[in-house]
Amino acid sequence: MGKLGLVTPTLATTWPQALAWRMRRQMLDPPGTATAVDIVRRLCGVQAQVPSAAVLAVAVRQRQPAADVVDAGLRDGSLMRTWAMRGTLHLLAPDEAGAYLSLLVAGRHWERGSWVKTFGVSSAEMVELTEAVSEALDGETLTREELVARVGEKLGHGRLEEQLRSGWGAVLKPVAWQGALCQGPANGNRVTFVRPDQALPGWTGLPDADDGARKVIPAYLRAYGPATAETFDAWLFRGRTRKAMLRGWFAALGDTLATVEVEGTPAYLLAEDVDDLAKTKPTKAVRLLPGFDQYVLGAGTGAAEIVPPAHRKEVSRTAGWISPVVVAGGRVVGTWESADGKVDVRLFEDSPALSKKLLDAEVERQTALLA
């Protein structure tokens, strides 16, 4: 038995084969007819810190992208935007969001000494803040300025209000994880906040974390497998989940999980997907993916099988910025950017030779998406 429960592999495979399987599972090879909500579900959420990147992440997975589908989903409540994995804003399906949030809540990270020391808000104050936010948003849609003012009225204008203004996201992330708020419809260029239990018809609340894990881990492996428990935790919470808890979540899945070996590295896959992976052939597909794309974030920029270590700094840049990337055969082989309606591709010096026909076709496709 290996670390965190991995057992004797049932299949030996290669990274080109495994990455081709991921590309297909993530609707990249080929793009299909899935809706924005279906894509968000399949990818276990879409990072939406940069809204335009989230829109493009959906569009590149659709054969015939439709305009405004993400905004339409946010307006009709079939999508929600809230702080989720790794403390970043994500698009999620409301009926699934609680399961993901339950895993973030399980560790009560905001009660740890390091968090309290960094942000200066005690666990008792966080309880008061969560209750005050929930009360302030009862039947309301508030801008951040309005919410800060309402919370200040309830708790007293003082240090906690200052924390809300200066460390807005950091202090309110645990409130969002507990399901007390999410982002609402935009008010001009201002962000608004609502209560998901009141604003989202599909919201089902937060289950017990063990129940949440039974939904989230299989969903993750369907899109990002084969993967280790450590890779899953890095995607979920930057590796901060308590190891005993993480081990228990994977162990509880029992025979629904299988272990496969990818070029000598054992990793988990759903048992029902082993045969499908075994039949998958390596791909030559070339894709231009937007910044912060789930294909990269699901495995992490430290995944050498996807991002060459020598080029990690070109992909994972300062201030947490994740570059738009060129992917060929499942591996990142360059970056790209757009300006004045033109797409500029910058392949790594040591990238393998690419099909000019495939690359040109993808540049043309991306140019049309950006128009």
Side-chain angles (χ1 to χ4, degrees):
M1 177 154 316
K3 60 181 178 179
L4 287 181
L6 289 165
V7 297
T8 303
T10 59
L11 171 71
T13 186
T14 64
W15 279 119
Q17 185 177 35
L19 297 181
W21 188 83
R22 283 188 198 172
M23 291 273 286
R24 178 161 54 83
R25 294 295 301 171
Q26 294 182 39
M27 305 177 185
L28 290 170
D29 184 24
T33 59
T35 66
V37 176
D38 290 337
I39 291 169
V40 167
R41 290 181 188 278
R42 174 63 63 84
L43 298 180
C44 303
V46 169
Q47 185 160 319
Q49 205 82 11
V50 179
S52 60
V55 170
L56 198 52
V58 170
V60 297
R61 290 168 167 85
Q62 295 177 315
R63 192 180 308 141
Q64 295 181 318
D68 200 37
V69 291
V70 170
D71 284 343
L74 291 170
R75 287 194 298 270
D76 67 22
S78 60
L79 290 174
M80 67 181 292
R81 182 164 49 217
T82 192
W83 285 293
M85 282 67 72
R86 304 176 306 284
T88 58
L89 285 170
H90 275 71
L91 300 176
L92 290 166
D95 61 338
E96 297 180 340
Y100 291 90
L101 299 178
S102 73
L103 304 192
L104 300 170
V105 168
R108 311 293 295 183
H109 181 71
W110 61 92
E111 295 178 354
R112 299 182 185 182
S114 57
W115 194 94
V116 173
K117 181 178 180 181
T118 299
F119 299 107
V121 180
S122 70
S123 58
E125 287 175 318
M126 282 303 306
V127 171
E128 293 177 350
L129 175 61
T130 302
E131 292 175 351
V133 167
S134 184
E135 291 177 11
L137 289 174
D138 187 12
E140 300 280 0
T141 298
L142 302 178
T143 65
R144 64 176 61 189
E145 294 81 7
E146 291 169 339
L147 182 56
V148 169
R150 296 281 185 91
V151 170
E153 292 172 2
K154 293 179 180 296
L155 299 182
H157 296 276
R159 186 181 60 80
L160 188 55
E161 185 183 10
E162 293 174 5
Q163 280 285 14
L164 288 174
R165 292 186 183 279
S166 63
W168 180 257
V171 175
L172 279 186
K173 286 174 186 178
V175 180
W177 294 337
Q178 294 174 83
L181 92 165
C182 66
Q183 289 196 358
N187 181 350
N189 61 356
R190 294 186 296 176
V191 171
T192 68
F193 295 94
V194 294
R195 277 176 42 170
D197 63 329
Q198 296 178 347
L200 301 170
W203 175 254
T204 55
L206 271 65
D208 175 81
D210 291 342
D211 291 336
R214 281 191 282 271
K215 296 179 180 179
V216 174
I217 292 173
Y220 176 85
L221 293 176
R222 287 188 189 103
Y224 304 103
T228 65
E230 291 82 2
T231 301
F232 169 80
D233 189 27
W235 163 81
L236 178 71
F237 208 11
R238 304 188 193 280
R240 295 171 181 168
T241 306
R242 292 187 176 93
K243 294 300 177 280
M245 184 181 296
L246 186 65
R247 186 180 294 111
W249 290 344
F250 275 81
L253 291 168
D255 292 341
T256 64
L257 298 185
T259 300
V260 300
E261 187 176 275
V262 190
E263 297 185 9
T265 299
Y268 288 114
L269 191 69
L270 292 183
E272 64 187 36
D273 288 332
V274 172
D275 288 344
D276 188 42
L277 173 59
K279 296 173 184 176
T280 300
K281 304 297 182 183
T283 181
K284 296 181 180 179
V286 176
R287 291 286 176 266
L288 267 61
L289 304 183
F292 303 96
D293 193 81
Q294 296 303 122
Y295 183 77
V296 173
L297 294 176
T301 59
E305 66 275 8
I306 292 180
V307 180
H311 297 288
R312 186 181 182 188
K313 290 184 179 179
E314 296 166 67
V315 175
S316 181
R317 299 165 63 185
T318 57
W321 188 265
I322 306 299
S323 299
V325 295
V326 183
V327 173
R331 300 178 190 268
V332 174
V333 297
T335 62
W336 65 275
E337 60 183 26
S338 63
D340 300 323
K342 295 182 179 180
V343 172
D344 179 25
V345 171
R346 300 174 182 176
L347 297 177
F348 300 146
E349 300 83 358
D350 53 355
S351 71
L354 301 187
S355 163
K356 185 176 185 303
K357 180 180 179 180
L358 293 178
L359 181 58
D360 287 349
E362 187 65 7
V363 168
E364 182 178 352
R365 179 170 180 260
Q366 195 63 245
T367 302
L369 292 175
L370 293 168

